[in-house]
Every structure is written in structure tokens, then in C-alpha cells.
């Protein structure tokens, strides 16, 4: 696909979709065809939906640009390690512009590819007889379409709770086959408002929740996944009672502290609500998402380490500490290295499943929403803390409770693609440590330790190729 979204409806070549997902191993890709004649069976429709999942996997797991890691690199969770490749330093240093490439171009094209495939499925859905199988296919396609658009608008646009002007600001183009948005291959659509985008995202997800099956297997959305995504989207949209209601629909137990190591080495799926899976045992290809943080072979060639202040804020009684960190060594230096996503058991290739959404996030979404509504959020927060600490003091109220909720969110979801968006949606600045990258705080500190809450760089620039190909696409301010 080209960057320009006006070409979306011309694309119907899916040979690249199916290669290494666990759940896709037994499926054979179709190469090309007319959607009206191809989509005639449940298996053909599911094949198309699986192609859309593959596009999501592409931009979440890319070893150079993956959405699983870039939001942490943009935030205050990590520091650039100078003995590494200095990969993504342009993003770490906030020097990106419309022509920078990397994530700016990649997310735009891959997310709209996912939207395109979902729309192809939705447009032909009446080829199937009414019933549970049709509903489940449609539910998956609607949820994927919403998910991809959500990723687009939170990256390139503002978040509704970010600032007073956010809802009226420009979001992205929301493409819906049933509204005729895919009828004209030469159309040059305009960016809609953030408020309009969120209304469409929520509408698609709420409809999907009524249609999708309870269990679609590994790597696919189901009812729990859709309600989990709704809890996140409602939180971004400031609809706090709906956050609580959606969270209460998610029936997935929290991972225990003993589960965590196996979760991140793919030995178990404890607490997983939404994942994008890769079969590392039987496939020779696939994205090594952990490479965003380290190139760990005979020695640790780290790309990023823990931010000094963040690491030292973690209590020694926190059972997560030994799961998410280790001491890495390179060029005679030691670093507080990131252990998440190193690889499956016995591997250090960075190739693991993408943990998109976990029960722990759903719980923390609920706790934050309860706090915002003036409800008692402490028992909800303590459900997680009881599983994560040898002991803790607790008992917080007021702003101390709010800080505790956000702190647990930062630690629990660290390096999983949340921190930049959490700061952004709360209208908070990035405040990095001014210490260096080496374990004792020496070494090279970040060039840009602070990004003010109102800085235009919280919104990524629209790719220059899109601007050049569609005269109706307006660039974000500051670029």
C-alpha cells in the first residue's frame, strides 16, 4: 500500500498476510481476487479477517518501529544507551518531522491496511447467511477497524482528555465501507475531528461487542477483548462510568507474580485479554519486537535501559522488579536493562507474542475511572498490589491515591507501549531523569529531558507522502 489512503479500495492482494501467527498456521492465503466472488464462505471471510490481524501485528511488532515499544521510547520510562546502535534516537530526542519516516510512515500505512481489509470483509458480509458465524466475522472486522483507527488518532491526533481543545482538533480519516467511503478510489478525504473519530471507534466497538463470539482462539479478538478495548477507549474519551461497566464485562483473571516470568517468555497467557501471536517454535520468519530495547547475543548490545529515576523508584518488595529488569553489560559498562520481550524461554532474540491488552490494564482503567468519579478506588488498586508486593503500606486517599494508581500503571505496563499515551491523555509533561544511561547514573543523560504538556510534538506529523498525495489533508501544527 502507498501512504496515500485514497488508494485503499484498489488493494486486494493478500499473499503477504499469512506467514507466522500461531492461530494462522493451518490457513492458506489467497493471492488475489474480486471480493464479491471470493467472500462466499465462512472460511474465506475468516481468512480475510486473519489478514487484518496480520496488519495489526506488523505495526505492533516491527523490530525498528513497533508500537509495542515506541511509546516508551518517547516517554520517561527509558534512556538511550550510547553503546548501542542509537536506534530511534530521532524519536527519543523529539527531532521527528513529516519526512522522518520510521513509525510516522509505518503506522499510517499499516493501520490503514488493516482498516482496508476489515472494510472488504464488512462490505461483503451479507454473502453469509444470518447466524452466529456471520455475527462473529462481522464483530471481529468491526473491532479491528475500530482498533486500527484508535491507534491512528491517538498517535497523529490529540486525545479527548488531553486538553480543552482536543475534541474539536483534527483527528484522522475514518473509513467505513457501509457509509460509501470506499466507493471512489480517487477520493481525497479530509481529516475529521477527534470527537468524531472517537464516536465512530466507540460505535464500532459497541456493535462488535454484541456480535463477536466468546472465544475465537489465540491471537484473535473475542468478547473479552472487545470489552477490554472499550475500557481503554472510554478512558481516553473521559467516559468514566462506561470504563467501569466495560471492565466489569471482562472475565480474565489477573496474572500472579509467579505467572509473570512465564507470561513474558510465552510459557503462559496469564492475564492476557488481547494478544498478537507469533509462532517462534515452528516459523523461521517473524518480527523480533524486543530488538527495540536490546540486541542481546553473546553480549548485551542494549538500545535502551531503564530511566535512572524510574528504576530507583521501584520498591525492593515489588515482585515485578526481577521480571522486568536485569543487569546488562556492554563495553565494560553495566546497565539497568529491560527484561520484558527478550524472547521465549532460553532465547534472547526478542521474538515473542505482543501483549496488547492485559487484565491488569483493565483493572487499572477501572481504578482510575472510579477515582475520577469520586468512588472508592483503593480496593480495586489493592487487588493488583496484593499480587505484586511482599508488603506495602497502602491506605492512600485524595491525590496520593491518584498518584498511586498512576504509579502502578507505569510499573505494571512498562515497556508495553502505554506510557507516552498515558502522559498525553492526562495532559502531563514528559519528565525524564537528568542522570546518564549507566547503572550508577553516570554516562550520557538525555538531550531532551522534558517535553512540555502543551508541546506540539505530542502529536506526530502526518507523513509527507500523504500530504503530497492528498491536497485535502492538513498537516498538524508545528510541522
Amino acid at each position: 500500500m502507498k501512504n496515500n489512503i485514497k488508494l485503499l479500495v484498489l488493494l486486494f492482494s493478500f499473499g503477504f498476510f499469512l506467514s507466522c501467527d500461531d492461530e494462522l498456521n493451518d490457513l492458506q492465503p489467497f493471492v488475489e481476487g474480486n471480493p464479491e466472488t471470493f467472500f462466499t464462505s465462512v472460511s474465506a471471510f475468516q481468512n480475510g479477517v486473519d489478514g487484518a490481524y496480520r496488519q495489526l501485528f506488523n505495526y505492533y511488532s516491527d523490530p525498528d518501529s513497533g508500537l509495542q515499544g515506541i511509546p516508551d521510547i518517547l516517554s520517561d520510562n527509558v534512556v538511550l544507551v550510547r553503546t548501542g546502535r542509537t536506534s530511534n534516537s530521532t524519536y527519543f530526542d523529539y527531532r521527528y518531522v513529516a519526512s522522518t519516516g520510521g513509525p510516522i510512515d509505518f503506522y499510517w500505512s499499516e493501520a490503514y491496511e488493516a482498516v482496508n481489509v476489515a472494510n472488504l470483509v464488512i462490505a461483503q458480509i451479507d454473502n453469509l447467511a444470518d447466524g452466529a458465524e456471520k455475527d462473529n466475522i462481522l464483530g471481529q472486522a468491526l473491532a479491528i477497524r475500530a482498533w486500527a483507527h484508535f491507534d491512528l488518532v491517538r498517535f497523529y491526533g490529540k486525545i479527548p482528555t488531553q486538553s480543552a481543545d482536543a475534541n474539536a482538533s483534527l483527528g484522522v480519516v475514518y473509513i467505513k465501507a457501509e457509509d460509501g467511503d470506499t466507493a471512489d478510489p480517487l477520493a481525497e478525504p479530509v481529516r475529521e475531528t477527534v470527537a468524531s473519530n472517537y464516536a465512530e471507534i466507540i460505535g464500532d466497538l459497541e456493535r462488535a461487542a454484541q456480535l463477536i463470539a466468546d472465544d475465537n482462539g489465540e491471537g484473535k479478538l473475542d468478547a473479552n477483548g472487545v470489552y477490554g478495548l472499550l475500557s481503554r477507549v472510554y478512558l481516553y474519551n473521559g467516559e468514566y462510568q462506561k470504563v467501569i461497566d466495560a471492565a466489569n464485562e471482562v472475565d480474565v483473571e489477573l496474572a500472579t507474580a509467579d505467572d509473570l516470568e512465564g507470561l513474558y517468555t510465552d510459557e503462559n497467557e496469564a492475564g492476557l485479554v488481547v494478544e498478537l501471536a507469533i509462532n517462534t517454535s515452528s516459523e523461521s520468519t517473524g518480527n523480533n519486537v524486543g530488538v527495540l530495547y536490546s540486541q542481546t547475543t553473546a553480549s548485551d548490545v542494549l538500545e535502551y535501559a531503564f530511566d535512572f529515576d524510574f528504576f530507583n523508584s521501584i520498591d525492593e518488595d515489588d515482585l515485578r522488579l526481577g521480571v522486568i529488569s536485569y543487569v546488562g553489560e556492554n563495553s565494560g559498562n553495566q546497565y539497568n536493562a529491560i527484561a520484558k520481550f527478550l524472547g521465549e524461554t532460553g532465547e534472547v532474540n526478542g521474538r515473542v507474542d505482543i501483549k496488547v491488552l492485559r487484565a491488569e490494564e483493565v483493572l487499572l482503567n477501572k481504578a482510575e475511572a472510579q477515582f475520577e468519579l469520586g468512588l472508592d478506588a483503593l480496593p480495586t488498586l489493592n487487588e493488583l498490589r496484593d499480587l505484586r508486593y511482599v508488603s506495602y503500606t497502602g491506605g492512600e486517599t485524595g491525590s496520593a491515591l491518584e498518584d498511586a494508581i498512576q504509579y502502578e500503571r507505569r510499573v505494571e505496563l512498562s515497556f508495553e507501549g502505554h506510557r507516552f499515551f498515558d502522559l498525553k491523555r492526562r495532559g502531563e509533561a514528559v519528565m525524564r531523569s537528568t542522570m546518564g544511561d549507566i547503572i550508577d547514573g553516570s554516562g550520557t543523560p538525555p538531550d531532551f529531558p522534558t517535553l512540555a504538556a502543551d508541546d506540539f510534538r505530542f502529536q506526530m506529523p502526518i507523513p509527507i507522502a500523504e500530504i503530497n498525495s492528498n491536497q485535502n489533508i492538513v498537516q498538524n501544527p508545528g510541522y
Side-chain angles (χ1 to χ4, degrees):
M1 172 181 164
K2 305 289 187 183
N3 276 334
N4 46 310
I5 55 180
K6 67 183 181 181
L7 295 181
L8 283 167
V9 297
L10 297 179
L11 299 173
F12 199 67
S13 178
F14 297 130
F16 57 88
F17 283 153
L18 310 177
S19 61
C20 59
D21 291 12
D22 284 327
E23 69 278 7
L24 306 184
N25 285 341
D26 297 328
L27 296 176
Q28 295 298 317
F30 49 87
V31 176
E32 61 183 26
N34 184 329
E36 294 182 7
T37 58
F38 179 83
F39 288 122
T40 58
S41 66
V42 171
S43 61
F45 272 95
Q46 188 62 60
N47 198 359
V49 170
D50 290 339
Y53 285 122
R54 179 62 185 177
Q55 296 309 122
L56 296 171
F57 177 85
N58 282 350
Y59 72 83
Y60 268 83
S61 68
D62 186 80
D64 296 315
S65 305
L67 192 61
Q68 178 272 324
I70 291 295
D72 284 85
I73 291 169
L74 288 164
S75 78
D76 52 3
N77 274 356
V78 302
V79 60
L80 179 68
V81 173
R82 302 294 170 166
T83 56
R85 300 175 304 164
T86 66
S87 59
N88 289 304
S89 59
T90 300
Y91 289 87
F92 181 72
D93 291 333
Y94 306 119
R95 293 191 177 101
Y96 40 81
V97 294
S99 59
T100 295
I104 286 170
D105 288 349
F106 192 62
Y107 298 166
W108 185 270
S109 66
E110 294 300 305
Y112 274 119
E113 289 277 17
V115 169
N116 180 44
V117 183
N119 273 321
L120 289 169
V121 170
I122 292 165
Q124 304 301 322
I125 195 65
D126 285 336
N127 289 353
L128 291 179
D130 291 343
E133 290 180 320
K134 175 181 178 180
D135 288 348
N136 184 39
I137 294 290
L138 180 56
Q140 290 179 78
L142 288 167
I144 290 168
R145 183 171 73 183
W147 176 358
H149 279 114
F150 173 68
D151 286 341
L152 285 162
V153 70
R154 65 177 175 153
F155 194 70
Y156 299 98
K158 291 188 174 182
I159 294 174
T161 56
Q162 180 179 351
S163 60
D165 65 346
N167 273 315
S169 65
L170 289 179
V172 296
V173 180
Y174 205 98
I175 301 176
K176 298 176 71 174
E178 61 270 41
D179 287 352
D181 295 341
T182 60
D184 181 4
L186 300 179
E188 294 184 325
V190 299
R191 296 175 67 185
E192 300 158 34
T193 66
V194 167
S196 174
N197 285 164
Y198 273 77
E200 297 274 28
I201 291 163
I202 290 168
D204 274 351
L205 287 174
E206 288 180 341
R207 187 181 175 201
Q210 303 305 310
L211 296 169
I212 202 164
D214 290 337
D215 184 2
N216 282 316
E218 183 185 15
K220 295 184 176 70
L221 287 165
D222 54 22
N224 279 325
V226 173
Y227 280 112
L229 287 173
L230 274 168
S231 80
R232 182 189 291 179
V233 175
Y234 287 141
L235 185 67
Y236 278 53
N237 205 36
E239 296 183 84
Y240 298 119
Q241 185 57 53
K242 290 184 177 181
V243 175
I244 297 168
D245 295 342
N248 287 339
E249 293 291 334
V250 177
D251 183 22
V252 179
E253 292 186 3
L254 302 176
T256 68
D258 289 339
D259 291 330
L260 289 180
E261 183 174 357
L263 172 66
Y264 292 109
T265 55
D266 290 354
E267 288 186 347
N268 67 59
E269 297 182 346
L272 279 181
V273 180
V274 178
E275 69 170 324
L276 294 167
I278 179 172
N279 190 333
T280 59
S281 61
S282 64
E283 298 288 343
S284 59
T285 60
N287 289 342
N288 298 46
V289 62
V291 170
L292 279 165
Y293 296 130
S294 66
Q295 304 266 341
T296 303
T297 53
S299 61
D300 296 325
V301 183
L302 303 180
E303 309 296 334
Y304 291 88
F306 274 80
D307 174 89
F308 184 82
D309 289 346
F310 177 38
F311 180 85
N312 286 287
S313 75
I314 303 175
D315 194 283
E316 62 181 11
D317 283 337
D318 192 327
L319 297 169
R320 292 168 293 200
L321 186 57
V323 175
I324 66 178
S325 70
Y326 71 101
V327 176
E329 298 187 12
N330 187 43
S331 300
N333 298 319
Q334 290 187 324
Y335 302 90
N336 287 316
I338 298 163
K340 282 186 180 181
F341 308 107
L342 279 177
E344 291 191 343
T345 302
E347 297 288 343
V348 288
N349 57 13
R351 190 179 301 169
V352 288
D353 295 344
I354 308 303
K355 286 71 180 171
V356 177
L357 195 154
R358 299 192 285 121
E360 291 76 13
E361 181 198 341
V362 176
L363 183 81
L364 290 163
N365 292 345
K366 179 179 177 179
E368 184 174 338
Q370 289 172 324
F371 179 85
E372 294 290 344
L373 292 173
L375 303 175
D376 188 4
L378 185 62
T380 303
L381 178 62
N382 285 345
E383 287 183 47
L384 178 62
R385 295 199 292 195
D386 289 345
L387 296 173
R388 295 293 182 264
Y389 290 91
V390 176
S391 65
Y392 63 92
T393 302
E396 300 92 343
T397 60
S399 61
L401 177 56
E402 181 179 28
D403 290 345
I405 292 168
Q406 294 308 315
Y407 178 75
E408 292 304 326
R409 186 179 185 94
R410 184 181 184 185
V411 177
E412 182 69 29
L413 305 179
S414 59
F415 319 119
E416 296 180 34
H418 293 271
R419 181 63 174 168
F420 184 73
F421 294 126
D422 282 337
L423 292 171
K424 178 176 176 175
R425 67 180 176 80
R426 292 176 58 80
E428 297 177 359
V430 175
M431 300 289 291
R432 294 167 171 164
S433 169
T434 56
M435 304 297 284
D437 53 337
I438 298 174
I439 197 168
D440 62 358
S442 62
T444 307
D447 291 341
F448 294 93
T450 302
L451 186 68
D454 61 354
D455 196 291
F456 70 89
R457 283 166 289 195
F458 268 103
Q459 289 68 245
M460 298 298 126
I462 305 300
I464 191 64
E466 183 64 35
I467 296 293
N468 291 339
S469 67
N470 182 352
Q471 63 182 343
N472 294 325
I473 291 291
V474 178
Q475 183 58 274
N476 282 329
Y479 298 106

